[in-house]
Amino acid sequence: MKDLQLRALRLFETVATTGSFSRAAELLDMSQPAVSMQVRQLEGELGVALFERLPRPRLTDAGHELLQHARLMLAQARAAQEAMQAHRDEARGPRGLLHFGVVSTAHYFAPRLLREFIGLHPEVRPKLTVARRAEVLEMLQEHRLDLAIMGYPPSEGDLEATSFARHPHCIVAAPDHPLAGRAGLRWSDLRDEHFIFREPGSATRQFLEHLLQSQSIQVRAGLELAGNETIKQAVMCGLGISFLSAHTFQVELEAGRLAVLDVEGLPKHIDWCFVQRRDTVLGGVGAAFREFVFERGAAVAACRVR
């Protein structure tokens, strides 16, 4: 293992991630035979098979284990490179690739966050990945993301989360709904309303179920839909009411196409968290973005709730 090169690990990781020698060759600007040959050379040097050659390459047990180490070493190499770049270009400010992930609700403000950050540091190349919470956590743990933004601090011990902004949630209805415009609604006033739920596993749904349990109330489950945009359309069509992040409906609220119900104790808040791996020290671009998020994140993520 002493002669294992970062280039070989990067090639191996690309094949493993894409699940395709030809796709990896495209991304690495190499020919497919060259990629296949170098993977075979790596297997020969290590003395183990890393892939099963099926219609598509599939990792062996040894391949899965090497992939974890490869992603960690490549991430640490990137961090070291960024740190050295930061020292070389201290007067010019951070530069290079910033790859961070956000849960779907955060994409309503993440582009504004990026715009301000890049305005301050124009030599940064951003890459934003939007995915479900479980997918973002998996990518972060596998070193496929540098950092992430999400609600609810993750329970995984190898991740560190720090809150930087409040994340309000409200119950919304169509503007002509009988409860719209009424002040001082109680949770019991919602007992007979058709609720439109997010899909199981959604953080928003978990938050609502926790609130309903704390209020000792059961509501009528109407539709169960995946995604904030679909739910907003259903609410605007009068199919029911729903519990949503305030970030998701700012445009509709401004346009008068949705109404926020005045329910006691709402809006309810959770925190927006900046999440990173404990085993990686952020340097260069990552450190600059972290500092920026804690300075400006709360202001950028602010939104209306009425």
Side-chain angles (χ1 to χ4, degrees):
M1 294 286 287
K2 65 179 182 179
D3 296 323
L4 204 57
Q5 300 292 319
L6 286 176
R7 187 173 184 276
L9 289 178
R10 190 172 293 110
L11 183 145
F12 162 72
E13 194 272 340
T14 304
V15 175
T17 300
T18 60
S20 166
F21 285 102
S22 58
R23 179 59 180 150
E26 291 176 14
L27 293 174
L28 297 170
D29 196 22
M30 299 171 61
S31 68
Q32 181 176 337
V35 171
S36 299
M37 180 186 69
Q38 292 195 31
V39 169
R40 290 189 183 278
Q41 287 178 346
L42 180 60
E43 290 176 322
E45 292 170 6
L46 297 176
V48 294
L50 300 174
F51 294 98
E52 296 177 11
R53 266 67 173 181
L54 299 168
R56 292 176 63 87
R58 188 171 63 187
L59 286 169
T60 62
D61 289 343
H64 279 292
E65 188 161 353
L66 180 61
L67 181 60
Q68 295 178 25
H69 292 293
R71 284 176 171 160
L72 175 58
M73 286 187 280
L74 291 170
Q76 290 176 329
R78 284 195 300 270
Q81 192 174 32
E82 288 179 2
M84 295 304 101
Q85 185 70 48
H87 283 291
R88 290 194 299 270
D89 301 315
E90 189 170 353
R92 300 174 60 186
R95 60 191 305 190
L97 178 65
L98 170 68
H99 186 192
F100 74 103
V102 301
V103 294
S104 58
T105 305
H107 89 274
Y108 289 95
F109 67 84
R112 296 197 301 276
L113 205 62
L114 269 181
R115 181 188 64 191
E116 285 199 24
F117 182 67
I118 295 170
L120 295 172
H121 308 293
E123 295 192 67
V124 170
R125 294 180 291 109
K127 180 180 180 182
L128 174 63
T129 295
V130 181
R132 294 173 183 264
R133 176 185 172 85
E135 294 172 314
V136 171
L137 287 172
E138 181 181 0
M139 294 177 71
L140 193 61
Q141 289 178 298
E142 293 181 350
H143 299 271
R144 289 185 283 154
L145 289 174
D146 299 323
L147 43 90
I149 290 174
M150 62 180 59
Y152 282 122
S155 58
E156 288 79 0
D158 55 346
L159 299 177
E160 177 184 347
T162 310
S163 62
F164 67 88
R166 301 291 277 158
H167 183 186
H169 289 68
C170 308
I171 294 179
V172 294
D176 59 355
H177 190 281
L179 297 181
R182 279 183 51 182
L185 292 171
R186 302 189 176 201
W187 283 89
S188 57
D189 294 325
L190 310 178
R191 194 183 303 274
D192 296 325
E193 298 298 322
H194 287 275
F195 262 80
I196 302 173
F197 282 85
R198 282 287 303 270
E199 72 280 5
S202 159
T204 304
R205 176 161 178 167
Q206 291 174 358
F207 194 13
L208 174 60
E209 289 174 343
H210 171 75
L211 289 177
L212 293 175
Q213 186 176 19
S214 68
Q215 295 293 327
S216 300
I217 185 174
Q218 289 186 336
V219 297
R220 298 173 64 180
L223 297 173
E224 183 180 286
L225 299 173
N228 296 310
E229 295 301 317
T230 307
I231 288 179
K232 286 190 297 183
Q233 293 298 322
V235 172
M236 288 186 288
C237 289
L239 292 175
I241 64 176
S242 191
F243 182 75
L244 288 174
S245 159
H247 291 288
T248 68
F249 57 74
Q250 295 298 292
V251 173
E252 291 79 9
L253 190 63
E254 291 283 349
R257 301 181 65 197
L258 277 178
V260 176
L261 298 187
D262 183 22
V263 180
E264 61 180 356
L266 293 183
K268 284 289 186 182
H269 296 82
I270 56 176
D271 288 333
W272 281 118
C273 296
F274 182 96
V275 186
Q276 64 185 88
R277 294 180 300 271
R278 294 186 186 275
D279 62 8
T280 302
V281 177
L282 292 179
V285 175
F289 186 65
R290 186 182 193 277
E291 181 180 354
F292 171 79
V293 167
F294 288 117
E295 287 181 357
R296 290 287 302 149
V300 173
C303 59
R304 286 182 54 197
V305 295
R306 285 286 185 270

PDB file of all heavy atoms in Angstrom, residues 26-44:
ATOM      1  N   GLU A  26     -15.173   9.300 -19.244  1.00  0.00           N
ATOM      2  CA  GLU A  26     -15.611  10.625 -19.701  1.00  0.00           C
ATOM      3  C   GLU A  26     -15.252  11.692 -18.668  1.00  0.00           C
ATOM      4  O   GLU A  26     -14.736  12.760 -19.012  1.00  0.00           O
ATOM      5  CB  GLU A  26     -17.123  10.619 -19.939  1.00  0.00           C
ATOM      6  CG  GLU A  26     -17.575   9.785 -21.130  1.00  0.00           C
ATOM      7  CD  GLU A  26     -19.092   9.762 -21.229  1.00  0.00           C
ATOM      8  OE1 GLU A  26     -19.745  10.585 -20.549  1.00  0.00           O
ATOM      9  OE2 GLU A  26     -19.627   8.926 -21.978  1.00  0.00           O
ATOM     10  N   LEU A  27     -15.542  11.406 -17.409  1.00  0.00           N
ATOM     11  CA  LEU A  27     -15.295  12.397 -16.360  1.00  0.00           C
ATOM     12  C   LEU A  27     -13.809  12.658 -16.164  1.00  0.00           C
ATOM     13  O   LEU A  27     -13.404  13.781 -15.821  1.00  0.00           O
ATOM     14  CB  LEU A  27     -15.916  11.914 -15.041  1.00  0.00           C
ATOM     15  CG  LEU A  27     -17.445  11.835 -15.002  1.00  0.00           C
ATOM     16  CD1 LEU A  27     -17.914  11.213 -13.697  1.00  0.00           C
ATOM     17  CD2 LEU A  27     -18.064  13.218 -15.167  1.00  0.00           C
ATOM     18  N   LEU A  28     -12.985  11.623 -16.381  1.00  0.00           N
ATOM     19  CA  LEU A  28     -11.539  11.755 -16.172  1.00  0.00           C
ATOM     20  C   LEU A  28     -10.796  12.130 -17.446  1.00  0.00           C
ATOM     21  O   LEU A  28      -9.564  12.249 -17.431  1.00  0.00           O
ATOM     22  CB  LEU A  28     -10.981  10.441 -15.614  1.00  0.00           C
ATOM     23  CG  LEU A  28     -11.521  10.031 -14.233  1.00  0.00           C
ATOM     24  CD1 LEU A  28     -11.093   8.606 -13.899  1.00  0.00           C
ATOM     25  CD2 LEU A  28     -11.038  10.992 -13.153  1.00  0.00           C
ATOM     26  N   ASP A  29     -11.554  12.273 -18.553  1.00  0.00           N
ATOM     27  CA  ASP A  29     -10.955  12.603 -19.849  1.00  0.00           C
ATOM     28  C   ASP A  29      -9.904  11.553 -20.244  1.00  0.00           C
ATOM     29  O   ASP A  29      -8.783  11.880 -20.613  1.00  0.00           O
ATOM     30  CB  ASP A  29     -10.321  13.997 -19.809  1.00  0.00           C
ATOM     31  CG  ASP A  29     -10.028  14.532 -21.215  1.00  0.00           C
ATOM     32  OD1 ASP A  29     -10.673  14.057 -22.176  1.00  0.00           O
ATOM     33  OD2 ASP A  29      -9.161  15.403 -21.350  1.00  0.00           O
ATOM     34  N   MET A  30     -10.318  10.302 -20.146  1.00  0.00           N
ATOM     35  CA  MET A  30      -9.463   9.175 -20.506  1.00  0.00           C
ATOM     36  C   MET A  30     -10.248   8.239 -21.410  1.00  0.00           C
ATOM     37  O   MET A  30     -11.469   8.377 -21.567  1.00  0.00           O
ATOM     38  CB  MET A  30      -9.004   8.403 -19.248  1.00  0.00           C
ATOM     39  CG  MET A  30      -8.182   9.213 -18.273  1.00  0.00           C
ATOM     40  SD  MET A  30      -7.890   8.321 -16.706  1.00  0.00           S
ATOM     41  CE  MET A  30      -6.983   6.882 -17.290  1.00  0.00           C
ATOM     42  N   SER A  31      -9.565   7.289 -21.996  1.00  0.00           N
ATOM     43  CA  SER A  31     -10.247   6.259 -22.770  1.00  0.00           C
ATOM     44  C   SER A  31     -10.718   5.159 -21.828  1.00  0.00           C
ATOM     45  O   SER A  31     -10.128   4.931 -20.763  1.00  0.00           O
ATOM     46  CB  SER A  31      -9.316   5.666 -23.826  1.00  0.00           C
ATOM     47  OG  SER A  31      -8.279   4.920 -23.218  1.00  0.00           O
ATOM     48  N   GLN A  32     -11.794   4.470 -22.225  1.00  0.00           N
ATOM     49  CA  GLN A  32     -12.303   3.397 -21.377  1.00  0.00           C
ATOM     50  C   GLN A  32     -11.273   2.282 -21.177  1.00  0.00           C
ATOM     51  O   GLN A  32     -11.094   1.804 -20.051  1.00  0.00           O
ATOM     52  CB  GLN A  32     -13.600   2.826 -21.959  1.00  0.00           C
ATOM     53  CG  GLN A  32     -14.191   1.715 -21.092  1.00  0.00           C
ATOM     54  CD  GLN A  32     -15.522   1.210 -21.610  1.00  0.00           C
ATOM     55  OE1 GLN A  32     -16.214   1.909 -22.337  1.00  0.00           O
ATOM     56  NE2 GLN A  32     -15.874  -0.010 -21.251  1.00  0.00           N
ATOM     57  N   PRO A  33     -10.557   1.840 -22.246  1.00  0.00           N
ATOM     58  CA  PRO A  33      -9.537   0.801 -22.023  1.00  0.00           C
ATOM     59  C   PRO A  33      -8.470   1.231 -21.020  1.00  0.00           C
ATOM     60  O   PRO A  33      -7.989   0.413 -20.233  1.00  0.00           O
ATOM     61  CB  PRO A  33      -8.944   0.599 -23.416  1.00  0.00           C
ATOM     62  CG  PRO A  33     -10.034   0.988 -24.350  1.00  0.00           C
ATOM     63  CD  PRO A  33     -10.727   2.136 -23.678  1.00  0.00           C
ATOM     64  N   ALA A  34      -8.105   2.524 -21.041  1.00  0.00           N
ATOM     65  CA  ALA A  34      -7.092   2.999 -20.104  1.00  0.00           C
ATOM     66  C   ALA A  34      -7.595   2.933 -18.664  1.00  0.00           C
ATOM     67  O   ALA A  34      -6.854   2.558 -17.749  1.00  0.00           O
ATOM     68  CB  ALA A  34      -6.687   4.431 -20.447  1.00  0.00           C
ATOM     69  N   VAL A  35      -8.864   3.288 -18.460  1.00  0.00           N
ATOM     70  CA  VAL A  35      -9.449   3.205 -17.121  1.00  0.00           C
ATOM     71  C   VAL A  35      -9.481   1.757 -16.651  1.00  0.00           C
ATOM     72  O   VAL A  35      -9.083   1.435 -15.524  1.00  0.00           O
ATOM     73  CB  VAL A  35     -10.861   3.823 -17.105  1.00  0.00           C
ATOM     74  CG1 VAL A  35     -11.563   3.528 -15.769  1.00  0.00           C
ATOM     75  CG2 VAL A  35     -10.798   5.323 -17.336  1.00  0.00           C
ATOM     76  N   SER A  36      -9.958   0.863 -17.520  1.00  0.00           N
ATOM     77  CA  SER A  36     -10.034  -0.553 -17.164  1.00  0.00           C
ATOM     78  C   SER A  36      -8.657  -1.101 -16.832  1.00  0.00           C
ATOM     79  O   SER A  36      -8.481  -1.850 -15.864  1.00  0.00           O
ATOM     80  CB  SER A  36     -10.659  -1.357 -18.310  1.00  0.00           C
ATOM     81  OG  SER A  36     -11.967  -0.912 -18.580  1.00  0.00           O
ATOM     82  N   MET A  37      -7.653  -0.733 -17.622  1.00  0.00           N
ATOM     83  CA  MET A  37      -6.303  -1.224 -17.409  1.00  0.00           C
ATOM     84  C   MET A  37      -5.759  -0.752 -16.062  1.00  0.00           C
ATOM     85  O   MET A  37      -5.144  -1.532 -15.319  1.00  0.00           O
ATOM     86  CB  MET A  37      -5.393  -0.757 -18.539  1.00  0.00           C
ATOM     87  CG  MET A  37      -3.946  -1.226 -18.396  1.00  0.00           C
ATOM     88  SD  MET A  37      -2.865  -0.520 -19.642  1.00  0.00           S
ATOM     89  CE  MET A  37      -2.840   1.198 -19.110  1.00  0.00           C
ATOM     90  N   GLN A  38      -5.994   0.529 -15.726  1.00  0.00           N
ATOM     91  CA  GLN A  38      -5.452   1.044 -14.479  1.00  0.00           C
ATOM     92  C   GLN A  38      -6.156   0.452 -13.264  1.00  0.00           C
ATOM     93  O   GLN A  38      -5.538   0.270 -12.216  1.00  0.00           O
ATOM     94  CB  GLN A  38      -5.535   2.568 -14.474  1.00  0.00           C
ATOM     95  CG  GLN A  38      -4.595   3.207 -15.490  1.00  0.00           C
ATOM     96  CD  GLN A  38      -4.400   4.689 -15.260  1.00  0.00           C
ATOM     97  OE1 GLN A  38      -4.443   5.164 -14.129  1.00  0.00           O
ATOM     98  NE2 GLN A  38      -4.167   5.429 -16.333  1.00  0.00           N
ATOM     99  N   VAL A  39      -7.451   0.148 -13.401  1.00  0.00           N
ATOM    100  CA  VAL A  39      -8.134  -0.536 -12.307  1.00  0.00           C
ATOM    101  C   VAL A  39      -7.550  -1.928 -12.105  1.00  0.00           C
ATOM    102  O   VAL A  39      -7.315  -2.371 -10.977  1.00  0.00           O
ATOM    103  CB  VAL A  39      -9.653  -0.614 -12.570  1.00  0.00           C
ATOM    104  CG1 VAL A  39     -10.328  -1.568 -11.575  1.00  0.00           C
ATOM    105  CG2 VAL A  39     -10.291   0.766 -12.458  1.00  0.00           C
ATOM    106  N   ARG A  40      -7.285  -2.634 -13.211  1.00  0.00           N
ATOM    107  CA  ARG A  40      -6.672  -3.967 -13.104  1.00  0.00           C
ATOM    108  C   ARG A  40      -5.275  -3.873 -12.495  1.00  0.00           C
ATOM    109  O   ARG A  40      -4.879  -4.734 -11.698  1.00  0.00           O
ATOM    110  CB  ARG A  40      -6.612  -4.620 -14.478  1.00  0.00           C
ATOM    111  CG  ARG A  40      -7.980  -5.033 -15.027  1.00  0.00           C
ATOM    112  CD  ARG A  40      -7.844  -5.879 -16.287  1.00  0.00           C
ATOM    113  NE  ARG A  40      -9.147  -6.208 -16.843  1.00  0.00           N
ATOM    114  CZ  ARG A  40      -9.911  -7.202 -16.412  1.00  0.00           C
ATOM    115  NH1 ARG A  40      -9.492  -7.965 -15.409  1.00  0.00           N
ATOM    116  NH2 ARG A  40     -11.076  -7.448 -16.982  1.00  0.00           N
ATOM    117  N   GLN A  41      -4.526  -2.835 -12.840  1.00  0.00           N
ATOM    118  CA  GLN A  41      -3.206  -2.650 -12.243  1.00  0.00           C
ATOM    119  C   GLN A  41      -3.321  -2.434 -10.737  1.00  0.00           C
ATOM    120  O   GLN A  41      -2.534  -2.976  -9.950  1.00  0.00           O
ATOM    121  CB  GLN A  41      -2.499  -1.468 -12.892  1.00  0.00           C
ATOM    122  CG  GLN A  41      -1.997  -1.729 -14.305  1.00  0.00           C
ATOM    123  CD  GLN A  41      -1.333  -0.502 -14.917  1.00  0.00           C
ATOM    124  OE1 GLN A  41      -1.471   0.602 -14.404  1.00  0.00           O
ATOM    125  NE2 GLN A  41      -0.635  -0.700 -16.021  1.00  0.00           N
ATOM    126  N   LEU A  42      -4.305  -1.629 -10.332  1.00  0.00           N
ATOM    127  CA  LEU A  42      -4.511  -1.386  -8.906  1.00  0.00           C
ATOM    128  C   LEU A  42      -4.873  -2.678  -8.188  1.00  0.00           C
ATOM    129  O   LEU A  42      -4.367  -2.959  -7.097  1.00  0.00           O
ATOM    130  CB  LEU A  42      -5.617  -0.335  -8.715  1.00  0.00           C
ATOM    131  CG  LEU A  42      -5.973   0.041  -7.270  1.00  0.00           C
ATOM    132  CD1 LEU A  42      -4.761   0.620  -6.543  1.00  0.00           C
ATOM    133  CD2 LEU A  42      -7.131   1.044  -7.257  1.00  0.00           C
ATOM    134  N   GLU A  43      -5.760  -3.469  -8.795  1.00  0.00           N
ATOM    135  CA  GLU A  43      -6.123  -4.757  -8.200  1.00  0.00           C
ATOM    136  C   GLU A  43      -4.898  -5.662  -8.081  1.00  0.00           C
ATOM    137  O   GLU A  43      -4.729  -6.379  -7.089  1.00  0.00           O
ATOM    138  CB  GLU A  43      -7.209  -5.437  -9.043  1.00  0.00           C
ATOM    139  CG  GLU A  43      -8.560  -4.734  -8.956  1.00  0.00           C
ATOM    140  CD  GLU A  43      -9.601  -5.345  -9.869  1.00  0.00           C
ATOM    141  OE1 GLU A  43      -9.226  -5.748 -11.004  1.00  0.00           O
ATOM    142  OE2 GLU A  43     -10.769  -5.440  -9.470  1.00  0.00           O
ATOM    143  N   GLY A  44      -4.030  -5.639  -9.098  1.00  0.00           N
ATOM    144  CA  GLY A  44      -2.823  -6.448  -9.054  1.00  0.00           C
ATOM    145  C   GLY A  44      -1.884  -6.016  -7.947  1.00  0.00           C
ATOM    146  O   GLY A  44      -1.286  -6.849  -7.252  1.00  0.00           O
TER     147      GLY A  44
END
